[in-house]
Amino acid sequence: MSKLPYEVQTEPVTPLSLLSPEGEVVNPDAMPNLTDEQLKEVMYRMVFTRTWDERAVNLGRQGRLGFYAPVSGQEASMIGSEYALNKDDFVCPGYRDMPQIVWHGLPLYQAFLYSRGHQHGGQIPEDVHVLMPQIIIGAQVLHATGVAMAFKKKGEKRVAITYTGDGGSSEGDFYEGMNFAGVYKLPVIYVVQNNRYAITTPYEKQTAALSIAHKAVAAGIKGVQVDGMDVLAVIKAVSDAAERGRNGEGATLIEMLTYRFRPHSMADDTTKYRTKDEEGEWSLKDPIVRFGKYLEKKGLWSEEETARVKEEAKATVNEHIKKAEATEKMTVAGLIDSMFETTPKYLEEQKADFQ
Amino acid sequence: MAQMNMKEAIRDAMRVELKRDPNVVVFGEDVGKVGGVFRATEGLQGEFGEDRVFDTPLAESALAGMAVGMGIQGFRPVAEIQFVGFIFEALDQMFIQAARMRYRSGGRYNAPIVFRTPFGGGVKAAELHTDALEGLALQTPGIKVIVPSNPYDAKGLLVSAIRDNDPVFFMEHLNLYHAFRAEVPEDAYTVEIGKANIVREGSDVTIIAYGMMVHTAMKAADELEKQGVKAEVIDLRTLMPLDIDTIVASIQKTNRAIVVQEAQRTAGAAAEIIAQINEKAILHLEAPVLRVAGPDTVYPFAQIEDAWLPSPARIIASVQKVLEF
């Protein structure tokens, strides 16, 4: 049946994709302008992050890490989107988005401390522009909106970026944040990493929308969809959105189609809700393999290089987990003193019970 | 000095702070152009511009969350939730995100935000406009709670709240906005957060109250005086942190106390106050500390709220009980 003239018109969207699974350039006009060194740096970070993820899962099993949300498969969406930012742009991450804030400057041992449940994990260094990972899904969307409001009011050419998953796009705060950004024309980028599952619940049970990118229509902001397994497409989309933000052209919602190769968290069992076929299909789209092929064809990368980065990553992880483990234990008294700028008398009295 | 009602004093607090500190911003639903549904921000946008005082879309969670984001970037937001019953939409941002910001970041970030909201019964308002929800905030570590009862305190406490580097839940009683005028200095001044005020001295019984109930307690104290009973009335002003020292000092003198609140018996601040009195002043008590409060029902329909709210008569009956114990 044809659409009524007074019915809102929507069309399906095709994700931006720059590389074929074989690493061939399929969309030369949209290629981001990166030097060979920059391309190698992106690959370095993706391989490093994959290795870190593998190590983190094992450290979790050994009890040396606590809460941890695996990231393998999402390196392109995470690393590429952060790489497209300036250092003074502000990142409001969800709980899975540790790689973005580490590559934005948070020392790795502090990421481990966060996982282990140590307050120093959230003590972001002064020159690092990120928040701690957000556990309440959707809350970070509003913080990024407020940060972007601050940048706009101060006339600073900075953008805020925030991340949530496909499940997060069903939250009220997700819509409210985008709607505010639309009204105030804020320099903010809302990234939805659509890995098709919110724990066990598939995308189709979250929304009947044609795509998550379509949800931008409701807020009057720009919505785009990218192949989230294609790091160059991610870099292109985020660079464009950041430029628009800095130029006063407002907010962008970017849906990144991706997949987590591992469970939702350490306590999750994917065999109960995913098929081997599906997992196999997505593994063919591995962002590191695809980008690696592209770089190899350009003579910028090799198997040996990957092996070298993996060793380096393992050594770095070891060094930082040791540093995390050697960090002084917290005290209840110290915790009490972190509640307010000046500890009120009633808390001073309660401290006495713990000294 | 000028004569101001509480609403004007609250507006004046925002005005002097907007003037003093360029990082202060005031926003909420309808607070900009028209100056708020109670005109508590009237004229502020005209004086300071849309950049400083502005309207938001109708979404309490987003406006509270925007305050959190602006707060970590150096602004000092004064965010208005139009009526108290609508804070539920914003609870995560107010009581989780803002209240925990300093703690979660080990002091790297803080939330220098004032969440202003009108509340309080006796004005025949619609549903969920008047509920006394201070108890929710009192169970939330990390946020201060202020309930002024008069124009002078309202301005001084709001100035203090705006300058405080931690989040403050600032509750403004609807029945007090226009109730009376009082002398209020025109310049900026502060009233210390966490400090109660003895508004009437007495030696026979201590009546502890806050918000509108201070005035109800004063009426009761007038009646009691005629019966030869000298009641001391304490206006708490701040519920968190609580000025337990002033309460204990008063009880040392009177040896008897009651707590009056308009919230339901098992809500509000009374239970916590009584628990602290038990811990710190039990040997000075001649009688148990009683509560005068609303019954444990949902806030009443407008037609019966006068019967539901604590009255001078109920306070007097309660005082007689502790005197005759």
Side-chain angles (χ1 to χ4, degrees):
Chain A
M1 208 174 93
S2 67
K3 290 213 172 122
L4 300 164
Y6 45 86
E7 190 182 339
V8 175
Q9 308 289 315
T10 49
E11 300 297 332
V13 60
T14 310
L16 173 69
S17 197
L18 300 184
L19 296 178
S20 72
E22 291 71 41
E24 302 286 351
V25 177
V26 293
N27 194 346
D29 295 343
M31 286 291 277
N33 203 6
L34 296 174
T35 65
D36 288 352
E37 282 314 303
Q38 288 174 317
L39 290 169
K40 284 164 74 173
E41 174 64 17
V42 171
M43 184 64 179
Y44 172 88
R45 292 183 180 195
M46 292 210 294
V47 174
F48 188 109
T49 304
R50 176 71 57 90
T51 310
W52 154 21
D53 191 59
E54 284 162 359
R55 288 289 298 137
V57 170
N58 285 333
L59 289 167
R61 287 189 185 123
Q62 293 166 17
R64 296 172 75 188
L65 283 182
F67 172 76
Y68 183 74
V71 301
S72 284
Q74 298 187 207
E75 292 88 349
S77 62
M78 290 175 166
I79 307 302
S81 58
E82 191 284 327
Y83 193 77
L85 303 172
N86 293 340
K87 273 294 159 207
D88 69 349
D89 292 332
F90 198 95
V91 184
C92 296
Y95 53 77
R96 199 181 299 281
D97 303 306
M98 201 53 103
Q100 294 95 308
I101 61 174
V102 166
W103 291 113
H104 213 59
L106 180 72
L108 189 56
Y109 85 95
Q110 285 189 269
F112 292 156
L113 282 173
Y114 177 85
S115 168
R116 291 165 62 88
H118 192 297
Q119 192 174 35
H120 183 49
Q123 285 176 320
I124 312 293
E126 284 292 334
D127 57 345
V128 177
H129 304 287
V130 306
L131 267 177
M132 304 74 75
Q134 180 55 248
I135 295 294
I136 303 299
I137 296 172
Q140 73 274 28
V141 172
L142 302 181
H143 301 160
T145 306
V147 167
M149 186 66 150
F151 291 162
K152 183 174 179 176
K153 287 206 176 291
K154 289 192 264 190
E156 295 176 343
K157 296 259 177 212
R158 301 164 73 182
V159 298
I161 188 168
T162 185
Y163 298 85
T164 190
D166 38 314
S169 73
S170 300
E171 291 279 0
D173 284 349
F174 175 75
Y175 166 72
E176 288 188 22
M178 291 198 303
N179 187 56
F180 269 49
V183 169
Y184 298 121
K185 233 176 180 195
L186 299 179
V188 52
I189 303 168
Y190 302 107
V191 174
V192 173
Q193 295 181 84
N194 177 1
N195 63 24
R196 304 209 54 77
Y197 292 93
I199 310 190
T200 68
T201 306
Y203 174 85
E204 292 73 19
K205 295 260 165 81
Q206 291 297 340
T207 179
L210 281 177
S211 78
I212 289 170
H214 278 84
K215 297 192 177 196
V217 175
I221 66 172
K222 198 179 193 71
V224 299
Q225 191 185 59
V226 301
D227 179 345
M229 306 298 261
D230 179 347
V231 72
L232 294 180
V234 169
I235 290 173
K236 168 69 177 162
V238 176
S239 303
D240 286 354
E243 199 182 322
R244 293 183 62 249
R246 291 195 189 96
N247 291 340
E249 293 165 51
T252 309
L253 166 63
I254 307 177
E255 178 185 15
M256 300 181 181
L257 302 175
T258 182
Y259 201 75
R260 56 175 156 78
F261 293 156
R262 291 178 181 279
H264 158 76
S265 71
M266 304 294 284
D268 174 34
D269 177 5
T270 56
T271 60
K272 296 217 167 108
Y273 59 94
R274 295 204 306 215
T275 63
K276 281 267 164 254
D277 283 355
E278 180 186 290
E279 289 180 356
E281 226 170 88
W282 278 92
S283 73
L284 297 176
K285 298 179 185 169
D286 189 322
I288 294 179
V289 173
R290 189 196 305 198
F291 190 53
K293 283 180 183 166
Y294 168 74
L295 292 187
E296 279 173 34
K297 282 185 226 281
K298 287 173 77 84
L300 295 175
W301 202 261
S302 63
E303 286 293 326
E304 294 73 47
E305 196 74 356
T306 298
R308 187 189 65 76
V309 177
K310 278 185 173 173
E311 285 314 307
E312 194 180 315
K314 276 182 203 164
T316 307
V317 167
N318 282 344
E319 179 197 322
H320 282 261
I321 190 72
K322 280 183 192 145
K323 189 169 177 188
E325 286 169 338
T327 301
E328 204 178 336
K329 277 209 169 73
M330 297 172 62
T331 64
V332 176
L335 214 52
I336 286 174
D337 278 336
S338 69
M339 288 301 302
F340 296 101
E341 183 176 41
T342 309
T343 302
K345 188 160 168 259
Y346 73 97
L347 280 177
E348 286 292 351
E349 287 172 8
Q350 292 177 26
K351 250 163 75 181
D353 295 340
F354 298 92
Q355 278 167 336
Chain B
M1 290 286 225
Q3 287 279 319
M4 294 185 197
N5 62 28
M6 197 174 89
K7 178 195 75 180
E8 290 160 349
I10 285 166
R11 178 200 299 154
D12 208 47
M14 286 184 272
R15 194 180 60 76
V16 295
E17 289 307 286
L18 279 160
K19 205 167 189 174
R20 190 186 67 86
D21 183 348
N23 291 315
V24 173
V25 282
V26 172
F27 56 83
E29 294 153 11
D30 310 299
V31 306
K33 195 164 193 170
V34 79
V37 290
F38 294 102
R39 307 290 180 264
T41 54
E42 192 170 42
L44 296 180
Q45 189 180 77
E47 187 173 350
F48 297 98
E50 210 176 326
D51 208 39
R52 307 281 307 282
V53 181
F54 55 95
D55 292 317
T56 67
L58 203 166
E60 290 78 14
S61 184
L63 81 87
M66 184 166 73
V68 174
M70 293 180 79
I72 62 170
Q73 288 298 323
F75 282 94
R76 307 185 78 84
V78 181
E80 181 183 300
I81 306 290
Q82 200 161 61
F83 285 100
V84 69
F86 314 160
I87 67 166
F88 290 102
E89 317 303 315
L91 278 196
D92 173 52
Q93 293 297 334
M94 293 170 65
F95 291 179
I96 303 289
Q97 307 299 336
R100 294 181 188 212
M101 185 60 80
R102 182 182 295 279
Y103 171 91
R104 290 185 65 228
S105 66
R108 167 68 172 88
Y109 296 118
N110 61 309
I113 303 166
V114 181
F115 296 105
R116 287 182 47 239
T117 194
F119 83 108
V123 296
K124 306 271 187 286
E127 277 188 280
L128 281 160
H129 283 51
T130 44
D131 299 49
L133 299 177
E134 65 274 17
L136 299 175
L138 295 176
Q139 293 203 10
T140 300
I143 192 162
K144 296 174 182 173
V145 183
I146 295 174
V147 190
S149 70
N150 62 71
Y152 180 88
D153 285 351
K155 180 173 171 182
L157 284 165
L158 184 51
V159 168
S160 294
I162 293 170
R163 294 181 188 181
D164 200 287
N165 283 325
D166 290 302
V168 175
F169 185 39
F170 196 89
M171 301 180 72
E172 303 166 5
H173 202 289
L174 285 166
N175 219 346
L176 291 174
Y177 270 151
H178 308 107
F180 60 96
R181 288 177 183 277
E183 287 287 315
V184 174
E186 286 177 67
D187 293 333
Y189 63 93
T190 58
V191 169
E192 190 184 341
I193 295 172
K195 200 95 193 84
N197 192 21
I198 296 172
V199 290
R200 181 191 184 105
E201 294 210 12
S203 51
D204 296 329
V205 62
T206 301
I207 305 178
I208 301 154
Y210 55 97
M212 185 66 201
M213 288 301 111
V214 172
H215 302 279
T216 311
M218 288 297 270
K219 277 184 197 155
D222 285 344
E223 278 305 308
L224 286 163
E225 176 112 49
K226 289 177 199 161
Q227 299 167 20
V229 175
K230 290 187 171 58
E232 178 146 302
V233 179
I234 297 178
D235 177 357
L236 290 173
R237 303 196 287 198
T238 300
L239 300 181
M240 175 63 77
L242 183 73
D243 185 0
I244 190 67
D245 292 349
T246 295
I247 294 170
V248 168
S250 177
I251 289 171
Q252 282 173 348
K253 187 169 64 172
T254 63
N255 310 115
R256 290 177 171 82
I258 65 165
V259 185
V260 187
Q261 67 178 21
E262 99 180 48
Q264 296 89 332
R265 287 180 74 78
T266 41
E272 174 59 24
I273 292 165
I274 293 167
Q276 290 197 35
I277 291 171
N278 269 333
E279 288 168 359
K280 300 192 173 181
I282 190 103
L283 294 177
H284 298 285
L285 287 173
E286 296 285 350
V289 183
L290 299 184
R291 280 178 283 192
V292 182
D296 280 318
T297 67
V298 168
Y299 193 86
F301 290 108
Q303 290 296 310
I304 55 158
E305 69 177 344
D306 289 341
W308 188 93
L309 287 165
S311 61
R314 283 178 55 208
I315 294 172
I316 291 164
S318 204
V319 165
Q320 276 159 353
K321 263 190 202 166
V322 298
L323 287 173
E324 290 158 16
F325 181 77

